[in-house]
Amino acid sequence: MAQDRIQASNVTPGNVSTQRVKLSSGYEIPQVALGVYKAPNDGTTEQAVKWAFDCGYRHIDSAARYRNEEAVGRALKEWTAANNVPREEIFITTKLWDDDHKNAQEAIEESLRKLQLSYIDLHLIHSPEPGEQSFIDAWKQMEAAVDAGKIRSIGVSNFDVDHLDALLKVARIKPVVNQIESHPFFAHEKLREETLKRGIHIEAYSPMAQGAALDREEIKAIATKHGKTPAQVLLRWGIQVGNIVLPKSLTKHRIEANAQLFDFELDSNDMDVLNNIDEGMKMGKLGPPGTSAPASPGATRPGSRRTSGSSGLAGNQLQMSSS
């Protein structure tokens, strides 16, 4: 049986509108966000963001690299005006791309302009590339933007433990999150543990393994038991281990379904099953390779990192799509 995973603390129960996690900056972040990776910079994304707001989402996760900040900004401006919702009730995340580390201040101003905002709720370094001095220089500029009131919280994405420790040695403002790939088939558990031990929350992208494992019999059995979908089961796992989850969809019924995570709870048997199906199924190219060993063709699944006793660069042994 897998040991219990380390969970984030300071989670306030609620629904998709109110379920929030307290960050070290003092601000609270909604635990479920609509991710807009690969979403076009047009009305399609604007409509998806508005649907998300309609069904209760209060957190949108974008990035300069996604090239859709304008669409997110238009949707936010139009929806809040039409529904008389204060901007302060919405949490907007965007990210600094690798090429902009030297010019982070200018990149932040550009994101603010595209999003039509006076401040960004959470700004992340998208990845530690091209290296330590580069992301440290960027971090100092992001800290200055916090001082200037242009950003409320700052964090990182795709950072490994060594990257985190290098940053923590010099950071005046501590990163509030590390956004990494995490789902039951690639929990990234060692990195999760080490990140949480440093007082930094986990944001999980690809929380449904990009749909690659929704037909697994063990997932379908848990879904049937609770009258839920396999996708909702995987997202609920993320909620219960304390991740901030970032499901992505441009389809109305899926956006709505991905918000319906707070009217059921996975029991200890469900969690034991889900905690023992980690097979190193890393979907994304970005980020540390992880410590979970994938199953060999025809072999039984090794279970969780802790019970298998295995380690290695699982992600490098699997076919990966972009992330």
Side-chain angles (χ1 to χ4, degrees):
M1 180 178 292
Q3 299 177 30
D4 291 337
R5 286 182 163 86
I6 291 180
Q7 298 192 28
S9 58
N10 300 323
V11 177
T12 303
N15 54 43
V16 73
S17 297
T18 62
Q19 178 96 347
R20 293 172 181 260
V21 175
K22 186 70 170 292
L23 301 173
S24 60
S25 61
Y27 292 99
E28 292 185 339
I29 183 170
Q31 198 175 2
V32 180
L34 176 71
V36 293
Y37 171 63
K38 283 191 174 179
N41 195 29
D42 60 18
T44 304
T45 298
E46 291 176 38
Q47 183 61 75
V49 171
K50 290 176 182 179
W51 283 331
F53 289 151
D54 285 342
C55 65
Y57 291 76
R58 292 297 179 265
H59 181 184
I60 306 297
D61 181 88
S62 184
R65 184 65 171 177
Y66 301 169
R67 304 183 189 279
N68 56 23
E69 289 173 311
E70 293 100 332
V72 171
R74 289 191 296 268
L76 173 64
K77 182 177 181 180
E78 293 171 10
W79 188 88
T80 52
N83 292 275
N84 196 29
V85 174
R87 180 269 179 269
E88 291 74 21
E89 290 190 14
I90 308 296
F91 195 101
I92 300 296
T93 296
T94 193
K95 307 176 190 75
L96 178 74
W97 184 238
D98 304 353
D99 294 343
D100 293 323
H101 286 188
K102 290 183 179 179
N103 303 302
Q105 183 176 351
E106 291 84 352
I108 291 166
E109 293 292 347
E110 184 175 2
S111 287
L112 286 167
R113 178 182 61 78
K114 289 179 176 178
L115 290 164
Q116 301 184 60
L117 296 177
S118 61
Y119 69 89
I120 296 165
D121 294 276
L122 176 60
H123 195 251
L124 308 180
I125 295 180
H126 205 138
S127 93
E129 298 301 330
E132 181 177 319
Q133 191 56 53
S134 179
F135 67 70
I136 286 175
D137 290 344
W139 192 258
K140 291 177 180 178
Q141 294 179 67
M142 290 164 63
E143 289 177 326
V146 173
D147 295 339
K150 295 178 180 180
I151 300 172
R152 289 191 165 181
S153 301
I154 50 179
V156 297
S157 181
N158 298 302
F159 271 47
D160 209 341
V161 176
D162 289 346
H163 301 130
L164 291 175
D165 286 344
L167 182 57
L168 288 169
K169 284 180 183 178
V170 299
R172 177 170 55 85
I173 300 175
K174 185 176 183 176
V176 297
V177 301
N178 186 16
Q179 187 177 121
I180 61 173
E181 180 175 349
S182 181
H183 48 77
F185 299 95
F186 182 69
H188 232 144
E189 186 59 17
K190 182 60 176 177
L191 180 55
R192 285 188 71 256
E193 290 177 359
E194 294 300 325
T195 300
L196 292 169
K197 284 178 183 177
R198 287 157 175 76
I200 301 168
H201 283 283
I202 296 294
E203 285 195 316
Y205 63 75
S206 298
M208 298 176 286
Q210 298 183 17
L214 297 180
D215 61 346
R216 298 289 182 89
E217 290 303 320
E218 58 268 60
I219 305 298
K220 292 195 291 185
I222 294 172
T224 299
K225 172 181 171 181
H226 293 281
K228 290 292 184 176
T229 66
Q232 288 168 326
V233 167
L234 297 184
L235 292 172
R236 182 67 202 185
W237 174 88
I239 293 291
Q240 288 186 213
V241 301
N243 290 346
I244 297 157
V245 296
L246 314 172
K248 174 211 164 184
S249 181
L250 296 176
T251 306
K252 184 178 182 182
H253 74 89
R254 288 183 182 143
I255 291 171
E256 293 172 344
N258 291 343
Q260 295 165 10
L261 307 177
F262 303 99
D263 55 354
F264 77 110
E265 185 172 358
L266 300 172
D267 60 33
S268 59
N269 291 330
D270 301 329
M271 292 299 288
D272 190 50
V273 170
L274 294 168
N275 287 340
N276 279 283
I277 57 175
D278 190 334
E279 54 192 46
M281 192 172 73
K282 189 176 192 297
M283 305 303 297
K285 291 179 179 178
L286 290 179
T291 56
S292 302
S296 301
T300 58
R301 295 174 192 164
S304 74
R305 179 189 61 78
R306 295 180 182 177
T307 55
S308 68
S310 59
S311 63
L313 304 184
N316 290 344
Q317 302 176 38
L318 297 166
Q319 184 175 355
M320 298 178 288
S321 61
S322 60
S323 75

